[in-house]
Each structure stands twice: as structure tokens, then as C-alpha cells.
Amino acid sequence: MNTVPLPFHCFTSDLCFPFLLSLSLFQVVLVGSSINERDQMLFISTDEGSSFQRQSISFTPDTVIFHPKEEDKLLAYCKEGGLFASTDLGRKWTLLQERVTKDRVYWSVSGVDVDPDLVHMEMQDTSGGYLYVTCLIQNCSDKMVTAQFLGKIDHNSLLVQDDYIFVKVTTGNRTKHYVSYRRTEFVQMRFPKYSLPKDVQIVSTDEDQVFLALQEWYQSDTYNLYQSDPQGVYYSMVLENVRSTKQPEESVLIDILEVRGIKGVFLANQKMDGRVTTLITYNKGRDWEPLAPPAIDMNGKPITCKAPECHLHLHLRWADNPYVSGTVHTKDSAPGLIMGAGNLGSKLVEYKEEMYITSDCGKTWRQVFEEEHHILYLDHGGVIVAIKDTSIPLKILKFSIDEGRMWTVHNFTSTSVFVDGLLSEPGDETLVMTVFGHISYRSDWELVKVDFRQSFPRQCTESDYDSWQLTDLQGEKCIMGQERSFRKRKETAFCIKGKSYTSALTNKPCQCTERDFNCDYGFERSHMEGKRCFASFWHNPDSPPEDCHLGQTYESSTGYRKVISNMCEGGLNKQQSTKQHKCPLLPPQGLRVGIKGQMLAVAPGDDITFIVHQEQGDTSSTKYQVDLGDGVRAIYQNLTVTDEPIQHRYKNPGVYKVTVKAENMAGHDEASMYIQVTAPLQEVHLEVVPIAGRSQEVNLTAVILPSEANLTVFYWWIGDNMRPTLTLQNSLLTRFPETGEVSVTVQASNGRSMVQDTRTVRVYDNFQVIPLSFSRNLDQFNPNIPEWREDIGQVVTKILIKITGVPQESLVTVVKPGLPTTADLYALPPDNKPAKRSMLVDKVNQKYCSDCSNMKLLYCVITLGYHGAAGGLGVWALVVIFLISIIATGSFILYKFKRKLPGSRNVYAQMHNEKEQEMTSPVNHSEDTQHIIQGEDEVYSFINHYITECDQYWLFCMDVQLI
């Protein structure tokens, strides 16, 4: 036993957190940061962890992936999305790509990919979408990556596994799953018509078949298991309602486990009526059975658990820590040996984790521990090591050399350690293992090597082995079409199996029976009538396949297909059909037209590739007439077979209808789509009056650039309402039911882009609106754009504030769109502060109202100053009304444009009777206003300028034609 400390020390977890990134043949790669070192460090061992070399790197690797064949080549992914490559075991690194999706990076697959330096990856493009691309590690620039799938794929959907590559694409609320077999063209995966999958998880892809779990539209915490044909295209169900568990970061765990060492054996936990039970299959899902309970417990006492009411149930969880076993442990080099945690009873119980073992692939079981342990197999299962799964420090382990019948306790260290993982040296024959962990959370990490070679005095010979024959729970010897026997070491033989050991002994094919056939695509197994396969209601078994052309023949499905990898010979052949059909000339059906990338909104001048797909019907003799909607027409032959691209470029904005007509002697079909050609939106400007009355109608208007943008959708967000109002018009009428400040946001979207603008509207119960007009000379400077109107309104407000002395928060000027240039001045109530009644108002009323019988309008305007024992707003409104005409408007014109305007005495703003609103809130004079109005005589002089008699003032107030 050797203890190897790691080559750095950690004082606190935030200063240094080393962790194991990868392990290969004699090579260990760890990452960490040392004290007072900013750069991340790689610690590389090429001698089984006996020593480490320190290598500084400029990025923080999150994952390191060894090349499956050339171990000096590494890929490293960092959390920021960068993917790096090294060809010298991490000493030098090259950035391959940025914006790469985590855990969606794969080395080339030997025997399938041509170049061993090829890398598969999912990456984000500049538009925010995700692509499946490949490149070579020697040159992976943007120009050298190759897109392998036509169009964008869903985020986090790429999977490269054995002969298969999987992606998915979601459009609207429908998701389509695609597969490529041995790097051929991607085709859509065919599930039962009404399965409507919400999620798909790949379980296994070995032996030329895909085994997957599919969550259907009606399921929430269960999945159904499906098997495919060799190409991974057509799928049939083999087991319903397998339990699933939602994990952090949206990952899902499916309770199914492929038993390594013997092909075709799977364990699954089925959830029915709230109960979870464990099932086993020996023929890839053709038949499932519950596990038989052991006869005695670990102490040799009889167990009362009897089938069919009681069975053995196992937890099928993967470990969060990749360096410890899950709840069930199997290994390729130890066929038939399964060790797992579970319980006896009518269902699986979460808190019970007793340990059970089988050495005949699940036919018989024995209890070995009362608590869960981490398991490691050495020397082809000749030594089983178990360490208790606990959060307390340990210094002992247990091991067995007779398949778990007897256990020996061994002190692997003199000081208890927190165990973080178990590792074995590369090679199934090894008897050397390593326990890595730490003595305390502030101590060094340690590697403790345990060598079991001293426990065995010699190598095994042929006389040290017995044979055992694989059978299922019913004792059937023909499994997957053959009888198989395996070699196992005798219980009394204490020897090393070694590198030359092989477990398989004999394979004898059997004659085919009904057990060797499963239901074909479009068929399902009846639970009645002898469990025969019958056609689903949506499937026509006599329909010709998609690749059936005129002049060829085909066989209709019998409803059965031979289980993939089944080795039976002769006997019953339920797959062979007696129905021979000639391929008919079928009319085209299911014609669809789309564009590459599925973007239905493009910019003028963009290159567009149209895609035509036909689900059914003959293609070899079909003509396709294509009308691109802008006068361009063409005729194609065999369009959906030859994959001849239809490429086009629209010059002008607009909406174009693209039509494809397919026709042959048997019939015709037609498909169309609408494509929107528009430039991206640059800007949207929300125009809304900044002041509004409570419950009064307010117009919201959105002005977009470019103004010729077509088919723009507007989203209106008012206040805190999280449900927007959608319109195709650029305006919306609304009301604000409450006073206060209300935020209004408009978003404009035309399919290619989205822009937004936000404004705040102040809602009052009462306020004064004074219409303003300007000299016609101003119209020639008016470009009629929102920015200009905002600037003019601000300038007018500033001038009025300066002249009248009204507080800034009480005046708002809004210039209206269009010509001639007009505006509204909003006089708002000030803060409610007590004030004395204005003597100026009294004198004005006395001078101009006492002798006039028709002064109701003037009286209303003037008495605003003291209505309700207040006088602030009335005086401001009165002063503003009479000052605007000569000082405000005239000063603005002269100031803004530096020119003398003719007839300036007639350039004035005037109030309209129908637009005035009486203020009812109490308002008062402010001290600022008292200072600005420098004397009563000055105000009287303005009034006398326009009014000499009572009747004249009345005309001035009422005549709207004076504007």
C-alpha cells in the first residue's frame, strides 16, 4: 500500500480546489490553482500517479476528454464556451472554437469517421442559433468548420454515439428528431403516429440498434421504451411507464440499466399505479419479468418474501460522482456479475438500500450488506472491492474473491479519510486499485494505492475454472437465438485470472421461435389472443415503402421483425411475408416546401435555399412546377430525389407566395408558403402624451424605421401587466384607470428583428390643457419626426418656465405630428401646500368681470387661481395664456431660427373652449411665482394690449378662428 500526496496544498476551499479531470492508460490529469498563482494549473502524471508535472494554462478547463485511440491528444472545454485542443498531453493548447455547448463535444468514432482528428461539436452561430459542425483539430477556424445538418438545431441536442448521430429541431410547438446512421444523410425518426414525444433519451446504441426512452404527451414522471431498426429510423415500443427523475440543470434520469457483459440484458423500474417494481429482460425488451427474491438473508436465515406478491427491487441510479459506482454495478469483463442496492417487498422503497449480488445474470440473488456500498471489480470480477457509502471518514474496505460469498475486512490506511472515489489501473486484469480522498476539508488530497496481487500465489490454469450456462428466470437456455456458456473460477481456487482470461466459453445457435421476434413498426402487441402483434389503427401494413418506385416489388409487413442481434437460425420465420406487391404509380402526397434554416423572414438580397419534401407517392416520374412569387418560375424532374437546390434572391421588400405543384399520371399535390422579405427594424419610437386624465382615452402610436417595413407585429406592455396586447396596426387606444406614473412599452417585430421603446405617462384627475399654434414659417423647418417634436416641446417649455416663473414640473409641451405645427401645453397641479389667496386674481376679476354679463368663461379661467382656497395653477395658467402669444412663441421663433418674423404681433397661442378642463385640486402660489410676476401693472398691460372692453375679451376667449 502506497500513499501519494497530490503536488499542491489547499488552505481554504476558495483558494484551491483541485479535481480529477480525466484518467487514461498510466496517465492522470488534474486541475487546480496554487496559492499566489493566478493562472490555472494542470497536474499531469504519466506514471500511474506516482509523480506529477505542473503545467500552467491560460484558461480554466471544466472538462478534459482523452482521444479514444491516441492518448496524447486532449480536448478541453471551459465554462465560457471555449474548446481547446492539445496534441502533447496538455503542454500546449490551441483554441478551436468559442460558443461551444458544454457536453456536446465528441472525438471521432473509430471505424465510422474517416479522420481520427475529427471533432464533432454543437456551437452557437452569430445569430444566436445552434449548429452541428465538425472540424479537424489542426484547423478549426470559422472558415474550416463544416455544417453537417441542414439548418439550425435545438440547443443541447447533439449526440454522437457509435454509428449514430442524433439532433432535434423544434418549430412552433412541434419537435422533430433526426438520426444519421454511419454518417449518411439525416432522416426524421419515425415513432408511432400519436406518440407526440415531449422528450427523448438515448439508452443504448450498440449492436446496430437504438434503444431509447420517450416521454409521450400524457406522461409526467415516466417514459416508454422503444427499439429501432438497424438504421435507427423506425421505432416500436417494448415497455411502458419506466420511472424517471428530474435532476438539476434540467437533466433527466431514466430508471433503466444495460447489464454489461451479456448483450440483450436490461434492468428497468416500471411505475404503475404509484408503485415502482424492478423488471429484467434477456432479449432486448421482447419479454420482461420481475426479479426473484433470495431464499435466505445475509445471515443464512430464511426469507418470507415469496413471488408473486414479493420480489427483489433495485435502485437504478447513476452516481453524481463519476469516480464511484452507481447503485447497480456491472462490467463487460465480468459477465453475469451484478451487484446492486435495493429491497425486498411488493415495491421499491426509497430509503432501503440493502446490497444484493448475483453471479448468474439475475436468476438467483444473495444479500451481502445491509447498507449501500461503492463497488469496484478487479481481475475480471475475481476480486470485488466494497467501501461503505457514507459521509464519515473511513480506513477500512471489504473485498471478496468468491463472488461475494465471503468478505474480508482490510485497513487500507492508518488514518481515516473521506473517500472521494475509487479507481483501478487500466486493464480488466488489474489487481491494483487507488482510493483518493482527503483527511479533512483543509488537508492535502491523497491517493492510496492498494495492491491485491500478494493475495494470490499463482496464475489460474484451466482446471481452476467451471462453466455456467446462461438462462432466463424460466430456465430457458435459448436466449437471443443461442445457447451461451461462460467460464468462471471455482470458489476454492485462489489464483489470478490474468490478461489472457476470456469469459465466453461456447455459443450454440438455436432454431427460431416466436420469442425471437418483436412487433414491427406500426404494430403493437396484444395482451390478449396469445400476445400477437396487430396493426395500429393509423397504420396500413400493405402500403408501399417510401423508396418503392414503379416497376419494383415489395413485401407487406407481417407485423413482426427479428430482434436485432438475435442469432437464431431456421425454424419459424414470422418476418417473411407471403404477400408480394408491385410498386404502384402513386400520386404525390404530403408535399411540403420550406427554406434552409426555416427562417420565413429574410432581408432583400439574401441568398435563400428552398427545400421541397414529399412524404408519399412516386418521385421518379413526377414533375415539380415552382413559382417563387416574384415572376420567377421553373420546372424540375425528380426534385425530391436528386436534392437539387432551389436557390433564389429577392431584390425588393414584400410578401411573396412560393408555390410548388407536383404532378404525375396518378394525381397531383400542391404546397405553398409565404416568405417575408424585409430589412431588419432599426428603431421604434413610442409617441404618447406624457400627461393623461384618469379613465380618459389615450392614443399610443409607434413610429418605426425603416418606415416601409411590412407585416410588423406590435406588442404593447402597459404598467405591470405581463400579458401584452398584440396589434398589426402601429397604434392602440387605451385608458389608465389609476392616477400616478404608468410605464408603457412597445415592441415591434417583423420576424427578423425586434426593437422596443418605453415611455412614462403621468395620470392625473385634473389638469389644464392649452392649445398652442406657431408661425407658418416654422413648418418649413419641421421634418415631422419624433425627435424634432420632442426637442421643440422641450425648448417651448423652457421658455415658458423662464418667462412665467411656473415650476418646471408643472408645465409640459407636446408638439403634435403633422403640419401645420401645433402643440398642447399641459399645466399640472403643483404640490398641495397652503397659500394665501392671490390679490392679483381678485383685481383681475374686479377689473374685467364685474361689469360684464357674459363673463362665465373668463370667470372659470381666472377663478382656477383660487378655487378651493388655492391660487397657484390659476395664476400660472392665466399668465401663460396671455404671455404665450407675444413672448413665448415669438421669443422661441426668434431664438431658434435667428430671424425676424413678419407680423409677430399676430403670432400667438390661444386657448380653445372645448379643450379646457377645470382643475378641482387645491393649488397655491409658490414663492417663485410671486417673484417672477414683477408687478400687477405688468400683467394688466398684457391684458389691456388685447382687451379694452368686456365684449372684446369675450370674443377673444371664444373665437377659435383667431389661431
Side-chain angles (χ1 to χ4, degrees):
M1 179 186 68
N2 297 323
T3 301
V4 182
L6 296 190
F8 47 86
H9 185 82
C10 303
F11 291 95
T12 60
S13 59
D14 58 337
L15 291 177
C16 176
F17 185 71
F19 57 92
L20 184 65
L21 283 179
S22 191
L23 176 73
S24 185
L25 182 62
F26 306 117
Q27 297 172 341
V28 182
V29 176
L30 304 103
V31 67
S33 58
S34 297
I35 305 301
N36 299 326
E37 293 181 2
R38 291 187 175 182
D39 290 342
Q40 289 294 314
M41 305 295 294
L42 277 183
F43 297 90
I44 304 169
S45 174
T46 57
D47 54 7
E48 308 175 26
S50 297
S51 63
F52 285 87
Q53 299 173 1
R54 185 186 298 230
Q55 180 65 48
S56 175
I57 55 176
S58 60
F59 60 95
T60 304
D62 186 70
T63 306
V64 171
I65 309 171
F66 275 103
H67 193 283
K69 297 295 182 180
E70 304 175 36
E71 295 174 348
D72 282 345
K73 294 180 179 178
L74 303 174
L75 293 176
Y77 175 85
C78 63
K79 292 182 179 179
E80 293 76 18
L83 181 65
F84 297 81
S86 173
T87 59
D88 56 2
L89 197 60
R91 291 169 177 82
K92 294 181 181 179
W93 293 91
T94 302
L95 176 63
L96 299 184
Q97 273 292 331
E98 298 176 308
R99 305 186 309 275
V100 177
T101 303
K102 182 183 179 182
D103 297 330
R104 300 299 168 182
V105 178
Y106 309 89
W107 278 110
S108 62
V109 178
S110 178
V112 184
D113 292 306
V114 176
D115 198 314
D117 291 337
L118 186 73
V119 178
H120 305 263
M121 71 182 79
E122 177 187 303
M123 63 174 290
Q124 190 177 28
D125 64 10
T126 54
S127 67
Y130 292 87
L131 304 173
Y132 161 41
V133 300
T134 60
C135 69
L136 299 177
I137 59 174
Q138 290 80 8
N139 191 347
C140 196
S141 62
D142 289 341
K143 294 183 179 180
M144 297 305 294
V145 296
T146 303
Q148 299 293 346
F149 182 80
L150 189 63
K152 292 180 172 60
I153 66 174
D154 286 2
H155 178 48
N156 213 34
S157 70
L158 174 66
L159 176 63
V160 180
Q161 193 165 306
D162 298 325
D163 293 343
Y164 304 91
I165 301 177
F166 305 92
V167 297
K168 67 177 181 179
V169 178
T170 299
T171 304
N173 60 350
R174 287 292 183 94
T175 298
K176 294 181 180 180
H177 298 262
Y178 294 87
V179 61
S180 169
Y181 176 65
R182 296 192 67 84
R183 309 309 184 254
T184 57
E185 181 184 357
F186 279 91
V187 295
Q188 186 177 348
M189 299 162 68
R190 302 290 184 177
F191 304 112
K193 187 173 183 179
Y194 295 104
S195 63
L196 305 179
K198 294 195 297 185
D199 185 39
V200 172
Q201 300 287 331
I202 305 300
V203 176
S204 171
T205 55
D206 58 358
E207 295 189 309
D208 291 327
Q209 187 176 46
V210 179
F211 205 34
L212 60 80
L214 182 149
Q215 188 173 56
E216 310 208 22
W217 61 273
Y218 59 87
Q219 295 177 306
S220 58
D221 58 353
T222 60
Y223 281 65
N224 294 339
L225 295 183
Y226 285 83
Q227 279 182 343
S228 77
D229 61 347
Q231 288 74 35
V233 177
Y234 293 96
Y235 290 82
S236 301
M237 186 189 299
V238 294
L239 184 64
E240 291 183 296
N241 296 319
V242 178
R243 185 178 71 165
S244 64
T245 306
K246 200 79 170 181
Q247 296 294 305
E249 300 181 359
E250 299 300 317
S251 62
V252 177
L253 294 182
I254 313 296
D255 275 20
I256 183 167
L257 178 76
E258 182 177 11
V259 176
R260 298 166 62 184
I262 299 179
K263 298 298 184 182
V265 183
F266 289 83
L267 293 168
N269 281 334
Q270 186 180 51
K271 186 175 183 179
M272 300 288 288
D273 300 325
R275 295 172 52 199
V276 178
T277 57
T278 302
L279 304 176
I280 188 171
T281 179
Y282 292 89
N283 51 12
K284 273 197 168 181
R286 166 63 170 78
D287 302 289
W288 295 86
E289 300 175 90
L291 297 178
I296 58 176
D297 63 14
M298 59 182 294
N299 299 316
K301 296 180 180 180
I303 292 178
T304 58
C305 180
K306 303 295 181 183
E309 290 80 12
C310 182
H311 294 92
L312 172 63
H313 309 284
L314 299 177
H315 298 281
L316 304 179
R317 295 193 305 266
W318 296 97
D320 295 332
N321 182 352
Y323 306 109
V324 296
S325 63
T327 54
V328 175
H329 189 58
T330 66
K331 195 171 185 180
D332 289 325
S333 61
L337 196 60
I338 308 173
M339 196 166 178
N343 65 272
L344 301 176
S346 61
K347 62 180 180 179
L348 182 66
V349 180
E350 291 301 320
Y351 58 85
K352 287 189 176 181
E353 294 181 337
E354 304 160 347
M355 296 296 294
Y356 295 86
I357 191 171
T358 176
S359 54
D360 55 10
C361 201
K363 184 179 181 181
T364 60
W365 294 83
R366 304 184 304 275
Q367 184 185 5
V368 290
F369 304 124
E370 293 181 341
E371 297 174 293
E372 184 180 359
H373 285 63
H374 298 308
I375 305 301
L376 189 66
Y377 294 163
L378 302 175
D379 190 27
H380 308 278
V383 176
I384 305 174
V385 181
I387 292 185
K388 190 176 180 180
D389 180 13
T390 179
S391 59
I392 64 175
L394 301 171
K395 60 181 177 180
I396 65 169
L397 57 79
K398 306 168 188 175
F399 69 95
S400 172
I401 61 174
D402 57 1
E403 297 179 338
R405 291 173 177 84
M406 298 289 294
W407 292 88
T408 302
V409 176
H410 173 67
N411 287 309
F412 65 90
T413 180
S414 59
T415 304
S416 298
V417 298
F418 294 94
V419 176
D420 296 304
L422 307 178
L423 297 171
S424 63
E425 288 187 356
D428 295 324
E429 75 283 356
T430 183
L431 281 167
V432 180
M433 64 166 291
T434 300
V435 181
F436 70 92
H438 52 280
I439 297 176
S440 70
Y441 290 107
R442 294 179 177 270
S443 67
D444 295 347
W445 277 30
E446 292 189 352
L447 299 178
V448 181
K449 185 179 294 185
V450 183
D451 192 343
F452 289 94
R453 287 176 292 188
Q454 299 175 0
S455 301
F456 300 93
R458 60 183 178 85
Q459 292 282 332
C460 293
T461 63
E462 195 63 32
S463 61
D464 294 313
Y465 297 105
D466 278 335
S467 65
W468 67 277
Q469 188 168 33
L470 176 65
T471 65
D472 63 13
L473 301 188
Q474 307 304 321
E476 175 61 47
K477 296 179 181 180
C478 285
I479 297 178
M480 293 293 288
Q482 60 182 342
E483 295 183 9
R484 286 178 283 180
S485 63
F486 298 85
R487 179 186 288 110
K488 66 163 36 178
R489 191 177 62 192
K490 295 178 181 179
E491 295 181 18
T492 56
F494 296 98
C495 57
I496 300 174
K497 296 180 181 181
K499 191 172 185 178
S500 60
Y501 170 80
T502 56
S503 58
L505 193 60
T506 61
N507 295 322
K508 179 184 176 181
C510 305
Q511 283 195 338
C512 296
T513 66
E514 187 174 348
R515 291 168 56 91
D516 300 309
F517 295 89
N518 216 337
C519 292
D520 199 1
Y521 172 76
F523 292 79
E524 51 189 290
R525 191 174 299 280
S526 171
H527 297 291
M528 310 288 291
E529 304 177 20
K531 296 186 177 181
R532 69 178 184 88
C533 296
F534 65 94
S536 300
F537 71 94
W538 51 267
H539 180 67
N540 180 9
D542 292 329
S543 61
E546 294 182 2
D547 57 351
C548 189
H549 299 293
L550 188 64
Q552 299 177 342
T553 60
Y554 71 96
E555 295 180 353
S556 58
S557 174
T558 63
Y560 297 88
R561 66 183 178 198
K562 193 175 180 180
V563 176
I564 303 295
S565 304
N566 189 289
M567 305 301 293
C568 71
E569 299 175 356
L572 180 65
N573 188 359
K574 300 200 68 156
Q575 186 171 329
Q576 184 175 1
S577 174
T578 58
K579 297 180 180 180
Q580 293 284 334
H581 305 275
K582 291 184 178 180
C583 292
L585 178 61
L586 297 175
Q589 293 182 0
L591 190 67
R592 298 198 308 269
V593 58
I595 63 174
K596 180 180 178 181
Q598 302 184 355
M599 288 292 295
L600 299 182
V602 298
D606 282 357
D607 291 322
I608 307 170
T609 300
F610 291 95
I611 303 169
V612 178
H613 177 74
Q614 180 178 305
E615 291 185 354
Q616 299 178 5
D618 185 78
T619 56
S620 59
S621 60
T622 302
K623 291 183 179 180
Y624 300 87
Q625 302 178 39
V626 179
D627 185 347
L628 298 180
D630 61 347
V632 177
R633 297 178 176 87
I635 297 177
Y636 296 84
Q637 189 82 20
N638 297 335
L639 181 61
T640 62
V641 176
T642 60
D643 291 330
E644 182 178 354
I646 304 175
Q647 295 182 335
H648 191 59
R649 183 182 297 171
Y650 291 96
K651 296 181 179 179
N652 301 316
V655 179
Y656 298 90
K657 182 179 180 180
V658 179
T659 305
V660 178
K661 295 181 180 179
E663 185 176 10
N664 59 26
M665 295 294 294
H668 61 86
D669 196 9
E670 183 174 328
S672 62
M673 63 170 291
Y674 293 89
I675 184 168
Q676 185 181 159
V677 180
T678 180
L681 295 177
Q682 301 172 6
E683 185 179 358
V684 62
H685 186 89
L686 175 59
E687 291 195 342
V688 57
V689 291
I691 309 299
R694 183 162 63 95
S695 299
Q696 294 184 358
E697 198 170 70
V698 177
N699 180 57
L700 311 177
T701 302
V703 180
I704 57 174
L705 293 177
S707 58
E708 65 273 11
N710 55 297
L711 288 185
T712 301
V713 179
F714 297 89
Y715 301 79
W716 306 89
W717 307 80
I718 301 175
D720 296 328
N721 190 355
M722 297 303 295
R723 300 182 63 182
T725 301
L726 273 64
T727 66
L728 292 178
Q729 294 78 27
N730 69 329
S731 61
L732 176 70
L733 293 177
T734 188
R735 298 175 187 269
F736 303 114
E738 302 293 338
T739 60
E741 290 189 350
V742 180
S743 175
V744 180
T745 298
V746 62
Q747 292 179 326
S749 173
N750 67 351
R752 283 186 52 80
S753 59
M754 177 178 284
V755 291
Q756 80 171 34
D757 191 19
T758 301
R759 291 287 185 268
T760 299
V761 179
R762 287 185 282 172
V763 182
Y764 293 91
D765 278 322
N766 304 282
F767 55 90
Q768 186 83 17
V769 182
I770 306 169
L772 308 180
S773 67
F774 303 90
S775 166
R776 288 299 180 92
N777 294 319
L778 184 60
D779 292 346
Q780 57 186 300
F781 299 96
N782 185 350
N784 198 25
I785 61 175
E787 294 88 343
W788 187 88
R789 291 192 289 272
E790 285 188 3
D791 290 342
I792 295 299
Q794 293 174 3
V795 171
V796 171
T797 300
K798 290 179 181 178
I799 294 175
L800 294 178
I801 291 171
K802 182 177 181 180
I803 294 174
T804 64
V806 177
Q808 181 176 353
E809 62 270 13
S810 297
L811 290 182
V812 177
T813 305
V814 179
V815 180
K816 299 179 180 180
L819 296 175
T821 306
T822 59
D824 281 337
L825 176 66
Y826 292 84
L828 307 178
D831 296 335
N832 296 330
K833 298 178 181 178
K836 296 180 180 179
R837 177 170 172 166
S838 172
M839 298 299 297
L840 173 62
V841 174
D842 290 340
K843 293 183 179 181
V844 171
N845 284 336
Q846 181 180 5
K847 181 177 179 62
Y848 292 101
C849 296
S850 58
D851 298 330
C852 195
S853 61
N854 296 320
M855 294 306 297
K856 293 182 179 180
L857 176 62
L858 179 62
Y859 181 80
C860 292
V861 174
I862 296 178
T863 54
L864 288 176
Y866 58 88
H867 182 75
L873 180 60
V875 173
W876 301 339
L878 179 65
V879 173
V880 168
I881 289 171
F882 290 104
L883 292 185
I884 286 173
S885 59
I886 293 179
I887 301 178
T889 307
S891 299
F892 166 69
I893 299 292
L894 294 174
Y895 173 78
K896 185 68 177 177
F897 302 107
K898 309 297 184 183
R899 58 186 295 181
K900 184 175 182 180
L901 302 178
S904 60
R905 288 171 58 89
N906 297 322
V907 181
Y908 56 85
Q910 126 148 24
M911 58 186 177
H912 290 265
N913 180 41
E914 65 270 22
K915 291 189 178 181
E916 290 184 357
Q917 302 180 31
E918 182 176 350
M919 291 297 301
T920 59
S921 300
V923 291
N924 302 297
H925 276 301
S926 67
E927 295 181 1
D928 293 337
T929 305
Q930 297 289 349
H931 290 303
I932 293 297
I933 301 175
Q934 299 176 356
E936 298 174 2
D937 294 338
E938 184 177 349
V939 177
Y940 295 149
S941 65
F942 280 110
I943 298 175
N944 287 326
H945 183 80
Y946 289 99
I947 304 169
T948 57
E949 293 182 6
C950 199
D951 290 340
Q952 291 177 345
Y953 183 78
W954 172 244
L955 290 176
F956 172 77
C957 295
M958 294 297 297
D959 188 1
V960 299
Q961 303 299 324
L962 291 176
I963 294 182

